[in-house]
Amino acid sequence: MATLNLQDMHAIADEAEERMARDLDVGVVRSTLFTLGSVDRTQALGPKRDPNQRMLMGQDPRLPETPARPKLIDFFKLRFGPSAHLLQSAKLALKAGHPEKIVIACLLHDIGVVGFIRSDHGYWGAQLVEPYVDEEVSWAIRYHQAIRFYPDESVGYEYPELYLRLFGPDYRPDPYIDRDYQYARNHKWYMTARLVTLNDYYAFDPNAKVDVDEFEDVIGRNFRQPEEGLGWDNSPSSHMWRTLIAPTKFL
Ligand SMILES: [Fe+2]
Ligand SMILES: [Fe+2]
């Protein structure tokens, strides 16, 4: 079976956008961030838009609609990519008998990757959940990204095999990652972030079934779900949740 390259995928996305514009009489433009690296943003894009065309200013009809007051679990089900890695990491922490703050940190540690953006995912993920979790939890999410690159024999953590394959044997983390690791290593919450990396496990059992609903109670006790719903509560990260609700909104 032929695999799709990035160009094919963009062609399909463009076609879907054109079709939607025809069907709904509304235009959709993908943000710069979605296309950087695959489209030359210094050039004008595509044919000139009809000046009378209305643009999408709400939820994208191609995505499942979110409830009026969305909860964290709704984002897992309606917006995030496959989250088996998060669920299995949390399950490992649970089985190891770690406190719930470790379990919730494991459950959310790569929320940046599955829900938002890969680049600097620890920092984005921490910011996204910061208003709703214990400070120690968002701290661990922020620093797990840097700590992941550094072994700690005292707890049996080695440099990940996966990273050797993904980045090559000569890869060295950027200076800011090294700086943040040094800072985190001397912090009182170092071991919280270290435990996240210890449960950050990629050798999944493909037959293991873990459902986010299994963590409903843990989430209920450790994630302060806002009354108005995520996105509508006027917290420092509400705009990030709103962007997840309506990622193609024109403005
Ligand atoms: Fe991560
Ligand atoms: Fe991870």
Side-chain angles (χ1 to χ4, degrees), residues 109-110 121 144-145 148 163 200 202:
H109 79 279
D110 282 341
H121 72 285
H144 93 274
Q145 181 187 331
R148 196 87 165 84
Y163 283 11
D200 200 342
Y202 286 93

Side-chain angles (χ1 to χ4, degrees), residues 5-21:
N5 62 29
L6 202 59
Q7 237 168 1
D8 294 334
M9 283 161 64
H10 278 291
I12 290 169
D14 286 343
E15 203 190 288
E17 272 160 23
E18 266 170 43
R19 209 177 327 119
M20 185 166 110

Side-chain angles (χ1 to χ4, degrees), residues 42-60:
T42 63
Q43 304 300 313
L45 294 180
K48 237 182 153 35
R49 202 184 310 130
D50 172 356
N52 295 318
Q53 186 182 36
R54 297 283 168 87
M55 304 307 290
L56 182 72
M57 281 303 279
Q59 285 203 31
D60 192 323

Side-chain angles (χ1 to χ4, degrees), residues 85-129:
H85 169 59
L86 291 182
L87 300 174
Q88 296 203 40
S89 297
K91 190 117 183 174
L92 273 181
L94 204 59
K95 274 192 188 156
H98 292 304
E100 282 197 348
K101 71 179 175 200
I102 304 289
V103 177
I104 191 84
C106 289
L107 182 69
L108 300 176
H109 79 279
D110 282 341
I111 194 172
V113 170
V114 303
F116 208 69
I117 188 167
R118 298 193 72 92
S119 178
D120 267 328
H121 72 285
Y123 300 82
W124 283 112
Q127 205 174 354
L128 193 59
V129 300

Side-chain angles (χ1 to χ4, degrees), residues 101-102 105 136-137 140 188-197:
K101 71 179 175 200
I102 304 289
E136 189 174 345
V137 171
K188 63 177 172 180
W189 291 333
Y190 165 71
M191 206 35 84
T192 313
R194 176 51 81 194
L195 283 174
V196 169
T197 69

Side-chain angles (χ1 to χ4, degrees), residues 58-200:
Q59 285 203 31
D60 192 323
R62 294 168 298 184
L63 291 171
E65 203 172 328
T66 54
R69 298 176 178 206
K71 297 184 159 119
L72 179 64
I73 284 196
D74 296 316
F75 285 89
F76 268 91
K77 292 179 177 173
L78 303 172
R79 286 294 183 272
F80 294 172
S83 45
H85 169 59
L86 291 182
L87 300 174
Q88 296 203 40
S89 297
K91 190 117 183 174
L92 273 181
L94 204 59
K95 274 192 188 156
H98 292 304
E100 282 197 348
K101 71 179 175 200
I102 304 289
V103 177
I104 191 84
C106 289
L107 182 69
L108 300 176
H109 79 279
D110 282 341
I111 194 172
V113 170
V114 303
F116 208 69
I117 188 167
R118 298 193 72 92
S119 178
D120 267 328
H121 72 285
Y123 300 82
W124 283 112
Q127 205 174 354
L128 193 59
V129 300
E130 211 140 48
Y132 314 106
V133 295
D134 192 278
E135 207 186 332
E136 189 174 345
V137 171
S138 54
W139 190 94
I141 294 171
R142 178 171 281 109
Y143 287 101
H144 93 274
Q145 181 187 331
I147 288 176
R148 196 87 165 84
F149 289 99
Y150 301 85
D152 183 343
E153 283 164 18
S154 77
V155 289
Y157 178 85
E158 291 173 359
Y159 184 79
E161 265 290 316
L162 179 75
Y163 283 11
L164 283 175
R165 270 189 283 135
L166 291 177
F167 313 130
D170 298 328
Y171 176 75
R172 295 290 172 273
D174 289 327
Y176 77 94
I177 291 289
D178 195 53
R179 177 201 65 202
D180 287 0
Y181 162 68
Q182 300 296 344
Y183 164 76
R185 200 176 57 160
N186 296 308
H187 195 280
K188 63 177 172 180
W189 291 333
Y190 165 71
M191 206 35 84
T192 313
R194 176 51 81 194
L195 283 174
V196 169
T197 69
L198 261 183
N199 289 285
D200 200 342

